[in-house]
Amino acid sequence: MKKGRGLHIGLSCVLLAGLLAACSAPAEKPKETATAGSGTPASTPPSSTPPAATQTEKKAEAQTITLAMEAEPISLDPQNVTDGNSISVQSTMYEGLLTFTDKMEPVPLLATEYKFNDNATELTFTLREGVTFHDGSPFNADVVKANLDFVLDEKNGLARRNFFSFIKEVVVKDPTHVTIVATSPNSTMLSYLAHPAASMKSLEVIKKKQADPNFNLDRTPVGTGPYKFSEWKDNQYVKVVPFDNYWNKDLKAKAESIVYKPVTEASTRINMLKAGETDIVTKLPTLNAKEIASDSKFNVFTGPSLNVYYVGINMREKKYQDKKVRQAMNYAINKDDLIAGVLDGYGKVADSPIAPNTYGYAQQKVYEYNPDLAKKLLSEAGVKDGFEATLWTRNSSEFIAIAENVAMQLGKVGIKAKVQAFESGTLFDMLDNNKGTDLWIGRWSPGTGEVDYGIRPNFHTKSFGPANNNSGFYSNAQVDKLLDDAISTANKDESLKKYAEVQKIIVEDAPWVFLHVPENVVAKSSNVSNVMVLPSDTVIVDNAEKK
């Protein structure tokens, strides 16, 4: 992901001790329950299995669940997408060796056990038996190797190739045992393999692509999930239907179908919910959250996300090279006012380059609002009268509102920032290629949900754009060494200590103006149950039911 496009699906509250020891799987896939945060709770799954007659009756009454999302998926190949909308649609059809609980902890799914070797260079999985893909082909160790070898093959040009660059080799031990060998000690491997990009697709479709380069994997999803692909009508919907031979009999599909509709305008999504034209709305505007929550026909979920909003700073620009200038900019912004005015209170002040729900987060001292101190620091840096700046942002209403608020507050200490809004793809290209980069509003969420991927792409010297997200050209040899040492150690405590030190250095260096961590806000009809909302704001509906 580039420039805070936001990797959706994260991981928080993971214990690295579990990464470096054997782990036994639960007997079945974790049941998806509604994660409500501070919002109205949704129904939770029944604690016991209903009688067979009741199950038959429910199956006969199964209804379609419609989900309105902000954009159409880019692809239905999990190894070829980096956007959250695609991942949400894929979630009902695909499964990986691991999955996330509603607490964002990785647990076995198509695997039953996993074990690291002593120096965290190898991760061995025991695979679940009796699993078949939607095309009837079997799941086994050869499938795992084929999937990972395929995404790593440069000639296939898949979007997630670099994501798996830590893999040196995939070794099949026997049909139910496979070992992932890393290029170097890597204590975060489990997090990457729990990501949806590591979902398994049928070996048969991989073979078809290898035999025919024109075979379209993006439009031919074949996974092992409870739902299988039915139809994709461009700019209208993607439809999935139950897979009758799903391996987990306790979590078979409960809806007649699930329909994902791309609806760009948030107001239109809200009107559709009110009119009963959709059952679930993602990215509910905070302005509408309280109104929707007050209606008993709906549930609204709110809770901390993994996103961090920030002002990126081009460190190659002479005016930003004095740390006092960057610190002054942090003191100049009243983040509480920004959260109240732009987010309607649905957020908290960022005190680190990663959000509190990210594994490895270490709390840092907040840059409290202090315009007098900001002016003093600017004066000490030799720019008492301030300077002019250009602040780029995406052309969505939320990003523009944030940019205008930031520019207004910077203006009060003499930094005259001109806001320029661009289509997101254009903005990312400009940042990637440093086409006049000065300041920009960014958003970042680590796809693995852990600290290394939260920090390394944005702050390691080797992450300069366009290869990665460090478009501000921040470079600190101590940060580089700490990051490299932290990922290479199998000692959990040592690793976390180094990552905490990295966060302290970065906050002190202030290569960003740290703004806020927004809350996820998602709404659904109250007659839909068993919905899970992840901190990444991805909505999981593979066990959802509508009555």
Side-chain angles (χ1 to χ4, degrees):
M1 298 301 275
K2 305 307 296 288
K3 311 303 161 264
R5 291 171 199 164
L7 280 166
H8 297 280
I9 293 285
L11 163 67
S12 59
C13 307
V14 178
L15 299 178
L16 260 183
L19 301 183
L20 305 173
C23 176
S24 298
E28 59 181 37
K29 180 180 178 180
K31 288 180 174 149
E32 273 83 34
T33 58
T35 305
S38 60
T40 306
S43 302
T44 54
S47 57
S48 59
T49 304
T54 304
Q55 291 181 350
T56 303
E57 179 183 352
K58 283 189 175 181
K59 185 175 181 180
E61 296 177 355
Q63 298 182 52
T64 292
I65 295 173
T66 302
L67 189 150
M69 55 205 312
E70 65 176 348
E72 188 172 38
I74 294 172
S75 165
L76 296 183
D77 180 353
Q79 296 165 2
N80 201 31
V81 297
T82 57
D83 68 296
N85 293 304
S86 295
I87 290 171
S88 291
V89 176
Q90 294 167 9
S91 66
T92 58
M93 295 181 281
Y94 286 104
E95 296 172 315
L97 299 174
L98 306 165
T99 189
F100 294 107
T101 68
D102 58 352
K103 304 290 187 186
M104 297 307 298
E105 298 164 338
V107 292
L109 181 54
L110 293 182
T112 59
E113 293 181 345
Y114 61 80
K115 186 174 183 178
F116 272 87
N117 65 349
D118 291 339
N119 64 354
T121 58
E122 296 184 2
L123 178 58
T124 299
F125 289 95
T126 300
L127 306 183
R128 190 177 299 279
E129 299 183 63
V131 176
T132 59
F133 285 90
H134 300 155
D135 59 7
S137 62
F139 168 73
N140 53 40
D142 287 331
V143 172
V144 176
K145 178 174 173 58
N147 271 266
L148 295 175
D149 285 351
F150 190 78
V151 71
L152 285 167
D153 189 338
E154 186 174 5
K155 73 174 184 290
N156 293 322
L158 296 181
R160 286 295 187 179
R161 178 176 175 268
N162 288 337
F163 188 79
F164 294 102
S165 60
F166 66 89
I167 296 176
K168 176 182 179 181
E169 185 182 11
V170 182
V171 179
V172 173
K173 305 288 189 181
D174 58 51
T176 59
H177 293 87
V178 63
T179 297
I180 313 298
V181 182
T183 55
S184 60
N186 189 327
S187 59
T188 68
M189 266 197 287
L190 196 66
S191 304
Y192 283 73
L193 293 167
H195 192 279
S199 295
M200 296 290 117
K201 55 194 177 196
S202 164
L203 179 56
E204 297 307 309
V205 296
I206 293 176
K207 288 179 178 177
K208 288 179 181 178
K209 182 64 174 179
Q210 290 170 330
D212 178 10
N214 294 320
F215 181 77
N216 193 348
L217 280 174
D218 295 326
R219 296 283 181 137
T220 315
V222 182
T224 62
Y227 288 86
K228 63 182 180 180
F229 177 70
S230 173
E231 187 178 20
W232 182 348
K233 285 199 172 183
D234 289 338
N235 302 313
Q236 295 184 53
Y237 61 82
V238 175
K239 180 180 180 181
V240 298
V241 296
F243 174 46
D244 292 336
N245 293 324
Y246 182 53
W247 62 269
N248 192 333
K249 305 305 179 185
D250 294 331
L251 291 176
K252 290 179 72 70
K254 295 181 175 66
E256 179 183 29
S257 63
I258 297 176
V259 175
Y260 297 87
K261 292 186 176 182
V263 183
T264 304
E265 288 297 325
S267 59
T268 304
R269 297 198 296 273
I270 294 167
N271 289 335
M272 289 173 64
L273 181 69
K274 292 178 178 178
E277 296 172 4
T278 188
D279 301 296
I280 301 169
V281 170
T282 64
K283 297 191 182 302
L284 182 72
T286 55
L287 186 64
N288 302 97
K290 292 178 182 177
E291 173 203 352
I292 299 297
S294 66
D295 191 327
S296 62
K297 296 194 296 293
F298 309 114
N299 300 136
V300 173
F301 304 122
T302 65
S305 72
L306 296 178
N307 285 303
V308 174
Y309 281 73
Y310 62 92
V311 178
I313 301 172
N314 185 354
M315 302 279 284
R316 288 181 174 174
E317 286 288 314
K318 183 177 180 180
K319 59 190 172 187
Y320 303 122
Q321 289 176 2
D322 190 324
K323 180 168 66 175
K324 290 181 179 180
V325 171
R326 305 190 302 271
Q327 291 175 334
M329 294 167 66
N330 273 275
Y331 285 119
I333 306 299
N334 187 328
K335 291 93 170 179
D336 289 317
D337 277 1
L338 186 154
I339 292 167
V342 177
L343 305 181
D344 302 294
Y346 289 94
K348 65 173 294 182
V349 174
D351 65 354
S352 167
I354 57 175
N357 274 4
T358 305
Y359 174 73
Y361 160 83
Q363 185 176 8
Q364 304 300 316
K365 186 177 179 181
V366 171
Y367 280 97
E368 300 286 356
Y369 178 54
N370 191 334
D372 291 335
L373 178 55
K375 292 176 182 178
K376 180 175 181 291
L377 289 170
L378 289 173
S379 180
E380 291 175 357
V383 285
K384 179 180 179 181
D385 297 327
F387 51 84
E388 293 184 352
T390 301
L391 177 59
W392 290 346
T393 188
R394 304 186 205 185
N395 61 357
S396 73
S397 57
E398 177 193 14
F399 274 82
I400 291 173
I402 292 170
E404 290 177 343
N405 184 288
V406 167
M408 178 268 294
Q409 297 203 57
L410 288 176
K412 293 180 179 179
V413 299
I415 300 174
K416 297 171 280 295
K418 179 181 178 181
V419 174
Q420 294 182 351
F422 301 91
E423 186 273 328
S424 58
T426 301
L427 176 60
F428 300 150
D429 180 68
M430 292 165 63
L431 289 169
D432 284 344
N433 296 288
N434 189 27
K435 296 179 179 178
T437 304
D438 190 19
L439 303 174
W440 73 95
I441 301 294
R443 179 181 68 189
W444 178 252
S445 173
T448 60
E450 46 73 46
V451 58
D452 192 83
Y453 200 63
I455 293 178
R456 185 180 299 273
N458 295 298
F459 301 103
H460 197 289
T461 302
K462 291 183 179 179
S463 295
F464 284 177
N468 224 310
N469 264 50
N470 191 352
S471 291
F473 304 103
Y474 174 74
S475 181
N476 183 310
Q478 187 179 6
V479 166
D480 292 347
K481 186 176 188 307
L482 285 167
L483 285 172
D484 293 342
D485 289 348
I487 200 173
S488 300
T489 179
N491 184 307
K492 177 197 67 167
D493 293 334
E494 278 299 312
S495 179
L496 292 178
K497 182 179 178 181
K498 293 179 190 299
Y499 284 125
E501 190 173 352
V502 166
Q503 292 169 72
K504 181 179 180 181
I505 294 169
I506 291 173
V507 171
E508 170 71 17
D509 277 352
W512 285 357
V513 177
F514 304 95
L515 296 178
H516 61 275
V517 176
E519 290 190 359
N520 292 321
V521 187
V522 175
K524 73 172 185 65
S525 298
S526 57
N527 64 338
V528 175
S529 59
N530 298 351
V531 175
M532 184 166 74
V533 182
L534 302 180
S536 61
D537 84 6
T538 301
V539 181
I540 305 297
V541 294
D542 55 352
N543 196 39
E545 185 174 10
K546 181 178 178 181
K547 296 181 181 179

